[in-house]
Every structure is written in C-alpha cells, then in structure tokens.
mmCIF file of all heavy atoms in Angstrom:
data_model
loop_
_atom_site.group_PDB
_atom_site.id
_atom_site.type_symbol
_atom_site.label_atom_id
_atom_site.label_comp_id
_atom_site.label_asym_id
_atom_site.label_seq_id
_atom_site.Cartn_x
_atom_site.Cartn_y
_atom_site.Cartn_z
ATOM 1 N N ALA D 23 115.083 125.581 88.455
ATOM 2 C CA ALA D 23 114.908 126.313 89.741
ATOM 3 C C ALA D 23 116.226 126.710 90.344
ATOM 4 O O ALA D 23 116.411 127.828 90.883
ATOM 5 C CB ALA D 23 114.096 125.480 90.701
ATOM 6 N N ILE D 24 117.213 125.822 90.300
ATOM 7 C CA ILE D 24 118.518 126.047 90.857
ATOM 8 C C ILE D 24 119.208 127.224 90.161
ATOM 9 O O ILE D 24 119.808 128.109 90.779
ATOM 10 C CB ILE D 24 119.396 124.776 90.774
ATOM 11 C CG1 ILE D 24 118.935 123.785 91.831
ATOM 12 C CG2 ILE D 24 120.860 125.089 90.903
ATOM 13 C CD1 ILE D 24 119.516 122.379 91.657
ATOM 14 N N GLU D 25 119.069 127.261 88.825
ATOM 15 C CA GLU D 25 119.720 128.346 88.054
ATOM 16 C C GLU D 25 119.101 129.710 88.486
ATOM 17 O O GLU D 25 119.847 130.703 88.632
ATOM 18 C CB GLU D 25 119.503 128.098 86.566
ATOM 19 C CG GLU D 25 120.545 128.756 85.663
ATOM 20 C CD GLU D 25 121.890 128.117 85.741
ATOM 21 O OE1 GLU D 25 122.047 126.961 86.161
ATOM 22 O OE2 GLU D 25 122.887 128.802 85.352
ATOM 23 N N ALA D 26 117.791 129.738 88.634
ATOM 24 C CA ALA D 26 117.142 130.993 88.985
ATOM 25 C C ALA D 26 117.415 131.377 90.422
ATOM 26 O O ALA D 26 117.689 132.541 90.705
ATOM 27 C CB ALA D 26 115.610 130.878 88.753
ATOM 28 N N ALA D 27 117.408 130.429 91.326
ATOM 29 C CA ALA D 27 117.667 130.697 92.737
ATOM 30 C C ALA D 27 119.118 131.158 92.922
ATOM 31 O O ALA D 27 119.375 132.085 93.749
ATOM 32 C CB ALA D 27 117.407 129.472 93.582
ATOM 33 N N ALA D 28 120.024 130.569 92.174
ATOM 34 C CA ALA D 28 121.458 130.993 92.274
ATOM 35 C C ALA D 28 121.654 132.408 91.817
ATOM 36 O O ALA D 28 122.593 133.065 92.257
ATOM 37 C CB ALA D 28 122.312 130.020 91.484
ATOM 38 N N ALA D 29 120.734 132.925 90.964
ATOM 39 C CA ALA D 29 120.844 134.296 90.494
ATOM 40 C C ALA D 29 120.100 135.284 91.389
ATOM 41 O O ALA D 29 119.989 136.457 91.078
ATOM 42 C CB ALA D 29 120.283 134.376 89.056
ATOM 43 N N GLY D 30 119.538 134.754 92.516
ATOM 44 C CA GLY D 30 118.901 135.590 93.482
ATOM 45 C C GLY D 30 117.414 135.766 93.371
ATOM 46 O O GLY D 30 116.816 136.608 94.087
ATOM 47 N N PHE D 31 116.752 134.970 92.518
ATOM 48 C CA PHE D 31 115.311 135.103 92.346
ATOM 49 C C PHE D 31 114.577 134.152 93.285
ATOM 50 O O PHE D 31 115.103 133.092 93.644
ATOM 51 C CB PHE D 31 114.920 134.793 90.880
ATOM 52 C CG PHE D 31 115.437 135.840 89.922
ATOM 53 C CD1 PHE D 31 116.543 135.600 89.142
ATOM 54 C CD2 PHE D 31 114.829 137.090 89.852
ATOM 55 C CE1 PHE D 31 116.989 136.551 88.248
ATOM 56 C CE2 PHE D 31 115.269 138.051 88.977
ATOM 57 C CZ PHE D 31 116.360 137.813 88.167
ATOM 58 N N ASP D 32 113.329 134.552 93.628
ATOM 59 C CA ASP D 32 112.504 133.712 94.478
ATOM 60 C C ASP D 32 111.859 132.612 93.576
ATOM 61 O O ASP D 32 111.288 132.945 92.550
ATOM 62 C CB ASP D 32 111.404 134.587 95.103
ATOM 63 C CG ASP D 32 110.542 133.813 96.076
ATOM 64 O OD1 ASP D 32 111.118 133.202 96.977
ATOM 65 O OD2 ASP D 32 109.329 133.872 95.940
ATOM 66 N N VAL D 33 111.949 131.377 94.063
ATOM 67 C CA VAL D 33 111.521 130.248 93.266
ATOM 68 C C VAL D 33 110.608 129.326 94.090
ATOM 69 O O VAL D 33 110.955 128.983 95.221
ATOM 70 C CB VAL D 33 112.710 129.424 92.703
ATOM 71 C CG1 VAL D 33 112.185 128.265 91.836
ATOM 72 C CG2 VAL D 33 113.668 130.295 91.951
ATOM 73 N N THR D 34 109.514 128.942 93.514
ATOM 74 C CA THR D 34 108.590 127.995 94.136
ATOM 75 C C THR D 34 108.357 126.847 93.154
ATOM 76 O O THR D 34 108.022 127.047 91.961
ATOM 77 C CB THR D 34 107.250 128.624 94.504
ATOM 78 O OG1 THR D 34 107.465 129.692 95.410
ATOM 79 C CG2 THR D 34 106.347 127.616 95.155
ATOM 80 N N CYS D 35 108.508 125.592 93.641
ATOM 81 C CA CYS D 35 108.213 124.418 92.836
ATOM 82 C C CYS D 35 106.960 123.750 93.374
ATOM 83 O O CYS D 35 106.770 123.608 94.601
ATOM 84 C CB CYS D 35 109.335 123.382 92.906
ATOM 85 S SG CYS D 35 110.888 123.876 92.068
ATOM 86 N N LEU D 36 106.037 123.364 92.470
ATOM 87 C CA LEU D 36 104.869 122.608 92.814
ATOM 88 C C LEU D 36 105.028 121.143 92.414
ATOM 89 O O LEU D 36 105.534 120.885 91.299
ATOM 90 C CB LEU D 36 103.626 123.180 92.169
ATOM 91 C CG LEU D 36 103.372 124.680 92.356
ATOM 92 C CD1 LEU D 36 102.065 125.071 91.671
ATOM 93 C CD2 LEU D 36 103.339 125.071 93.781
ATOM 94 N N SER D 37 104.602 120.237 93.267
ATOM 95 C CA SER D 37 104.789 118.794 92.933
ATOM 96 C C SER D 37 103.624 118.009 93.477
ATOM 97 O O SER D 37 103.101 118.247 94.559
ATOM 98 C CB SER D 37 106.113 118.307 93.545
ATOM 99 O OG SER D 37 106.331 116.939 93.232
ATOM 100 N N LEU D 38 103.237 116.940 92.683
ATOM 101 C CA LEU D 38 102.207 116.030 93.164
ATOM 102 C C LEU D 38 102.699 115.222 94.309
ATOM 103 O O LEU D 38 101.862 114.752 95.148
ATOM 104 C CB LEU D 38 101.802 115.133 92.013
ATOM 105 C CG LEU D 38 101.058 115.748 90.824
ATOM 106 C CD1 LEU D 38 100.930 114.753 89.671
ATOM 107 C CD2 LEU D 38 99.674 116.227 91.218
ATOM 108 N N VAL D 39 103.975 114.988 94.364
ATOM 109 C CA VAL D 39 104.565 114.133 95.432
ATOM 110 C C VAL D 39 105.793 114.896 96.038
ATOM 111 O O VAL D 39 106.261 115.845 95.457
ATOM 112 C CB VAL D 39 105.047 112.771 94.818
ATOM 113 C CG1 VAL D 39 103.862 111.944 94.387
ATOM 114 C CG2 VAL D 39 106.005 113.037 93.630
ATOM 115 N N PRO D 40 106.313 114.409 97.158
ATOM 116 C CA PRO D 40 107.557 114.991 97.599
ATOM 117 C C PRO D 40 108.646 114.989 96.520
ATOM 118 O O PRO D 40 108.691 114.027 95.709
ATOM 119 C CB PRO D 40 107.946 114.080 98.804
ATOM 120 C CG PRO D 40 106.650 113.553 99.287
ATOM 121 C CD PRO D 40 105.789 113.379 98.108
ATOM 122 N N ALA D 41 109.448 116.020 96.461
ATOM 123 C CA ALA D 41 110.340 116.220 95.295
ATOM 124 C C ALA D 41 111.178 114.928 95.045
ATOM 125 O O ALA D 41 111.392 114.546 93.881
ATOM 126 C CB ALA D 41 111.255 117.403 95.572
ATOM 127 N N ARG D 42 111.660 114.278 96.043
ATOM 128 C CA ARG D 42 112.523 113.109 95.856
ATOM 129 C C ARG D 42 111.732 111.827 95.421
ATOM 130 O O ARG D 42 112.381 110.837 95.142
ATOM 131 C CB ARG D 42 113.339 112.831 97.107
ATOM 132 C CG ARG D 42 114.278 113.944 97.468
ATOM 133 C CD ARG D 42 115.199 113.621 98.616
ATOM 134 N NE ARG D 42 116.076 114.757 98.916
ATOM 135 C CZ ARG D 42 117.206 114.690 99.626
ATOM 136 N NH1 ARG D 42 117.537 113.543 100.142
ATOM 137 N NH2 ARG D 42 117.919 115.796 99.863
ATOM 138 N N ARG D 43 110.416 111.949 95.353
ATOM 139 C CA ARG D 43 109.635 110.905 94.819
ATOM 140 C C ARG D 43 109.165 111.170 93.368
ATOM 141 O O ARG D 43 108.375 110.411 92.811
ATOM 142 C CB ARG D 43 108.405 110.624 95.710
ATOM 143 C CG ARG D 43 108.715 110.114 97.098
ATOM 144 C CD ARG D 43 109.541 108.823 97.054
ATOM 145 N NE ARG D 43 108.873 107.742 96.343
ATOM 146 C CZ ARG D 43 109.521 106.789 95.752
ATOM 147 N NH1 ARG D 43 110.835 106.685 95.785
ATOM 148 N NH2 ARG D 43 108.844 105.814 95.143
ATOM 149 N N SER D 44 109.655 112.234 92.811
ATOM 150 C CA SER D 44 109.328 112.555 91.407
ATOM 151 C C SER D 44 109.781 111.418 90.505
ATOM 152 O O SER D 44 110.711 110.595 90.867
ATOM 153 C CB SER D 44 110.048 113.824 90.924
ATOM 154 O OG SER D 44 109.622 114.949 91.761
ATOM 155 N N HIS D 45 109.173 111.284 89.347
ATOM 156 C CA HIS D 45 109.419 110.100 88.502
ATOM 157 C C HIS D 45 110.843 110.023 87.980
ATOM 158 O O HIS D 45 111.307 108.998 87.555
ATOM 159 C CB HIS D 45 108.429 110.059 87.319
ATOM 160 C CG HIS D 45 108.341 108.733 86.670
ATOM 161 N ND1 HIS D 45 108.235 107.545 87.380
ATOM 162 C CD2 HIS D 45 108.342 108.394 85.371
ATOM 163 C CE1 HIS D 45 108.195 106.544 86.490
ATOM 164 N NE2 HIS D 45 108.250 107.027 85.266
ATOM 165 N N SER D 46 111.563 111.151 88.053
ATOM 166 C CA SER D 46 112.983 111.145 87.681
ATOM 167 C C SER D 46 113.749 110.115 88.511
ATOM 168 O O SER D 46 114.759 109.538 88.015
ATOM 169 C CB SER D 46 113.594 112.519 87.923
ATOM 170 O OG SER D 46 113.035 113.493 87.113
ATOM 171 N N SER D 47 113.304 109.866 89.717
ATOM 172 C CA SER D 47 114.039 108.933 90.593
ATOM 173 C C SER D 47 113.957 107.507 90.110
ATOM 174 O O SER D 47 114.759 106.653 90.540
ATOM 175 C CB SER D 47 113.497 109.031 92.026
ATOM 176 O OG SER D 47 112.155 108.538 92.108
ATOM 177 N N ALA D 48 112.980 107.189 89.225
ATOM 178 C CA ALA D 48 112.839 105.839 88.745
ATOM 179 C C ALA D 48 113.787 105.517 87.569
ATOM 180 O O ALA D 48 113.895 104.351 87.194
ATOM 181 C CB ALA D 48 111.399 105.589 88.337
ATOM 182 N N ALA D 49 114.422 106.541 86.996
ATOM 183 C CA ALA D 49 115.330 106.308 85.849
ATOM 184 C C ALA D 49 116.509 105.454 86.260
ATOM 185 O O ALA D 49 117.097 105.703 87.329
ATOM 186 C CB ALA D 49 115.809 107.612 85.274
ATOM 187 N N GLN D 50 116.820 104.458 85.501
ATOM 188 C CA GLN D 50 117.833 103.476 85.923
ATOM 189 C C GLN D 50 119.179 103.587 85.229
ATOM 190 O O GLN D 50 120.205 103.728 85.848
ATOM 191 C CB GLN D 50 117.240 102.058 85.707
ATOM 192 C CG GLN D 50 116.039 101.757 86.529
ATOM 193 C CD GLN D 50 115.353 100.443 86.175
ATOM 194 O OE1 GLN D 50 115.834 99.714 85.275
ATOM 195 N NE2 GLN D 50 114.288 100.102 86.860
ATOM 196 N N GLY D 51 119.163 103.503 83.899
ATOM 197 C CA GLY D 51 120.348 103.189 83.130
ATOM 198 C C GLY D 51 121.447 104.193 83.099
ATOM 199 O O GLY D 51 122.636 103.860 83.264
ATOM 200 N N GLY D 52 121.129 105.518 82.903
ATOM 201 C CA GLY D 52 122.197 106.486 82.851
ATOM 202 C C GLY D 52 121.901 107.668 81.969
ATOM 203 O O GLY D 52 120.835 107.830 81.433
ATOM 204 N N MET D 53 122.944 108.506 81.819
ATOM 205 C CA MET D 53 122.829 109.752 81.049
ATOM 206 C C MET D 53 123.925 109.821 79.987
ATOM 207 O O MET D 53 125.125 109.569 80.262
ATOM 208 C CB MET D 53 123.045 110.966 81.966
ATOM 209 C CG MET D 53 121.970 111.150 83.022
ATOM 210 S SD MET D 53 122.371 112.591 84.002
ATOM 211 C CE MET D 53 120.780 112.882 84.820
ATOM 212 N N GLN D 54 123.544 110.106 78.766
ATOM 213 C CA GLN D 54 124.563 110.143 77.689
ATOM 214 C C GLN D 54 125.281 111.466 77.687
ATOM 215 O O GLN D 54 124.735 112.527 77.757
ATOM 216 C CB GLN D 54 123.862 109.956 76.342
ATOM 217 C CG GLN D 54 123.460 108.520 76.029
ATOM 218 C CD GLN D 54 123.405 108.261 74.569
ATOM 219 O OE1 GLN D 54 124.219 108.708 73.796
ATOM 220 N NE2 GLN D 54 122.396 107.465 74.172
ATOM 221 N N ALA D 55 126.631 111.359 77.624
ATOM 222 C CA ALA D 55 127.530 112.525 77.459
ATOM 223 C C ALA D 55 128.826 112.034 76.871
ATOM 224 O O ALA D 55 129.365 111.036 77.356
ATOM 225 C CB ALA D 55 127.737 113.214 78.779
ATOM 226 N N ALA D 56 129.364 112.713 75.868
ATOM 227 C CA ALA D 56 130.545 112.262 75.167
ATOM 228 C C ALA D 56 131.806 112.596 75.953
ATOM 229 O O ALA D 56 132.529 113.601 75.669
ATOM 230 C CB ALA D 56 130.583 112.868 73.777
ATOM 231 N N LEU D 57 132.139 111.803 76.934
ATOM 232 C CA LEU D 57 133.367 112.004 77.765
ATOM 233 C C LEU D 57 134.532 111.206 77.209
ATOM 234 O O LEU D 57 135.671 111.637 77.367
ATOM 235 C CB LEU D 57 133.072 111.620 79.190
ATOM 236 C CG LEU D 57 131.971 112.398 79.912
ATOM 237 C CD1 LEU D 57 131.748 111.867 81.343
ATOM 238 C CD2 LEU D 57 132.344 113.882 80.005
ATOM 239 N N GLY D 58 134.249 110.068 76.585
ATOM 240 C CA GLY D 58 135.326 109.265 75.989
ATOM 241 C C GLY D 58 136.313 108.687 76.980
ATOM 242 O O GLY D 58 137.492 108.535 76.620
ATOM 243 N N ASN D 59 135.872 108.422 78.208
ATOM 244 C CA ASN D 59 136.817 107.975 79.223
ATOM 245 C C ASN D 59 137.075 106.489 79.236
ATOM 246 O O ASN D 59 138.206 106.036 79.445
ATOM 247 C CB ASN D 59 136.326 108.401 80.634
ATOM 248 C CG ASN D 59 136.360 109.901 80.840
ATOM 249 O OD1 ASN D 59 137.123 110.561 80.161
ATOM 250 N ND2 ASN D 59 135.492 110.373 81.730
#
C-alpha cells in the first residue's frame, strides 16, 4: 500500500482488526538480511 500511495494512487486496506493488531505484530525473533555487521 505504501509503494502505491507514494506513487500517487488511491489505496484502501481492509482488515479484520485495527491495523496495528494484525498478526504481524506478534512476530518476535527478527528478520533475516545479510548485513554482516
């Protein structure tokens, strides 16, 4: 949605719950990315 909105398009998201209660919020451990830091 962010990518489309940033390009000037009208975007609507539908959700069973408020966006910040989406199940993504329950993820704990982290995100893999090869930064090598």
